[in-house]
Amino acid sequence: LLYSLSRIHYLNIGHQNINDNSILVSSFIKPDEIKVKYTDFGLGCYETNNRPLVSLTDYEKHKTQEKTNSGMVRCKDSMNVPVDIDENIMAKLTNRDYLDIIQKYDVFCLGVLCLKLLLWFDNKITHSGAYSKGYNKNFIRDIKKGIIKQYLDKKNSENKYKTVFPELDVSDKVKRDILEYLEILDKYVFVPTKDRKTCQYVLDKIIIYEKYKNDIF
C-alpha cells in the first residue's frame, strides 16, 4: 500500500480521497504476488510547477497524461484537505506547497487504514469518527492517545507481547511486529502535517525494521 501510493506521489499527483473503497488489492493474478490499485481519483489533482510531470515507464507516462487531459486539475485549485491554514500563510503558498499538503493528507488517510488492519480487533477504531476530519484534537484524544499509546505504553511492561494483545491468538513475533508498525505510524504519520513524513520515508523505516529485526545486538 505504501509503495503504490509513493509511486502515485512520485508522479506529482495527490489523491485526496483514500479510504476503504478506493483501494483494490488482489493476489490472484500471480502466485505470491500482490497487486494494488488505487481508484476513484475524482478529487485528485496534479502539480507541474516546480518539476516536470514524469513517470517511471512509458505506460505510466501515457496513463498520467491521459488522466490530466481528462479533467484532473491543479492542486491549488482543488485542495480538499481538512487542515486549517492561516489566510496570510495560504497567500504565500506555492503550487508545490499545495501538492505537499495534499500528499501528506494522503499519507494520513492511508495510515488510518493501516491502523485498522493492524488493530482489527479494536472496535474503537472501526466505530470512531475521530479520524474523519484529519489530524485534529479528537483524533489525538481518541486514536493517538486513546488507542495507539495504550499499546505502546504496555510494550515496556514485563511479558510485554502477551499482555499487549491478550485477545489476539498469534505468536509473540507477530505481536512484536504490530507494535513496531504502530510505533512507526505514531512517530511519522500521526503527527501534524508539517512534521508528517512521506510514504517512501515511512516505507524505508519499515524495510529497515524488517531487515534487521532478527539480529541479536
Side-chain angles (χ1 to χ4, degrees), residues 54-159:
V54 297
S55 60
L56 299 178
T57 67
D58 290 339
Y59 173 75
E60 288 177 328
K61 185 175 182 179
H62 167 72
K63 296 304 289 184
T64 302
Q65 187 64 34
E66 179 182 294
K67 175 58 70 175
T68 57
N69 288 340
S70 65
M72 186 179 287
V73 296
R74 293 163 68 88
C75 293
K76 185 174 183 178
D77 301 321
S78 65
M79 191 171 83
N80 190 43
V81 175
V83 57
D84 293 326
I85 303 176
D86 183 88
E87 290 185 5
N88 292 326
I89 296 178
M90 184 76 78
K92 298 177 182 179
L93 295 179
T94 65
N95 292 321
R96 179 68 200 183
D97 292 331
Y98 281 93
L99 176 62
D100 288 339
I101 293 171
I102 287 169
Q103 289 184 340
K104 287 188 175 182
Y105 177 63
D106 286 347
V107 175
F108 172 83
C109 292
L110 183 59
V112 170
L113 290 181
C114 291
L115 182 63
K116 292 169 71 174
L117 290 171
L118 291 172
L119 302 178
W120 56 272
F121 51 86
D122 198 321
N123 291 329
K124 294 178 184 177
I125 299 174
T126 304
H127 296 101
S128 175
Y131 55 82
S132 61
K133 295 185 178 181
Y135 187 85
N136 54 30
K137 292 181 179 179
N138 289 336
F139 179 88
I140 296 171
R141 179 196 66 203
D142 296 343
I143 305 297
K144 190 174 174 68
K145 290 184 178 179
I147 295 178
I148 298 178
K149 285 296 184 181
Q150 74 169 328
Y151 294 113
L152 296 183
D153 288 344
K154 293 178 182 178
K155 179 180 176 181
N156 298 317
S157 64
E158 185 178 355
N159 201 19

Side-chain angles (χ1 to χ4, degrees), residues 32-67:
D32 302 321
E33 185 172 306
I34 297 175
K35 294 288 186 180
V36 176
K37 182 179 292 186
Y38 282 79
T39 65
D40 192 9
F41 280 83
L43 296 178
C45 64
Y46 76 102
E47 185 51 58
T48 62
N49 186 43
N50 293 338
R51 64 184 185 188
L53 186 65
V54 297
S55 60
L56 299 178
T57 67
D58 290 339
Y59 173 75
E60 288 177 328
K61 185 175 182 179
H62 167 72
K63 296 304 289 184
T64 302
Q65 187 64 34
E66 179 182 294
K67 175 58 70 175

Side-chain angles (χ1 to χ4, degrees), residues 117-215:
L117 290 171
L118 291 172
L119 302 178
W120 56 272
F121 51 86
D122 198 321
N123 291 329
K124 294 178 184 177
I125 299 174
T126 304
H127 296 101
S128 175
Y131 55 82
S132 61
K133 295 185 178 181
Y135 187 85
N136 54 30
K137 292 181 179 179
N138 289 336
F139 179 88
I140 296 171
R141 179 196 66 203
D142 296 343
I143 305 297
K144 190 174 174 68
K145 290 184 178 179
I147 295 178
I148 298 178
K149 285 296 184 181
Q150 74 169 328
Y151 294 113
L152 296 183
D153 288 344
K154 293 178 182 178
K155 179 180 176 181
N156 298 317
S157 64
E158 185 178 355
N159 201 19
K160 53 187 176 183
Y161 303 125
K162 292 183 179 178
T163 58
V164 172
F165 305 113
E167 63 275 81
L168 192 59
D169 186 22
V170 295
S171 67
D172 285 354
K173 181 179 178 181
V174 172
K175 293 178 181 180
R176 181 188 67 180
D177 288 344
I178 293 176
L179 287 176
E180 292 300 327
Y181 297 152
L182 286 180
E183 193 155 30
I184 290 173
L185 290 174
D186 185 52
K187 285 183 177 180
Y188 306 116
V189 177
F190 299 139
V191 293
T193 302
K194 64 182 179 64
D195 301 320
R196 193 170 304 142
K197 302 301 183 181
T198 64
C199 270
Q200 189 61 54
Y201 185 98
V202 176
L203 180 59
D204 289 344
K205 288 295 182 181
I206 293 176
I207 290 173
I208 291 172
Y209 165 70
E210 289 291 341
K211 183 175 181 178
Y212 296 107
K213 68 180 180 180
N214 294 321
D215 289 359

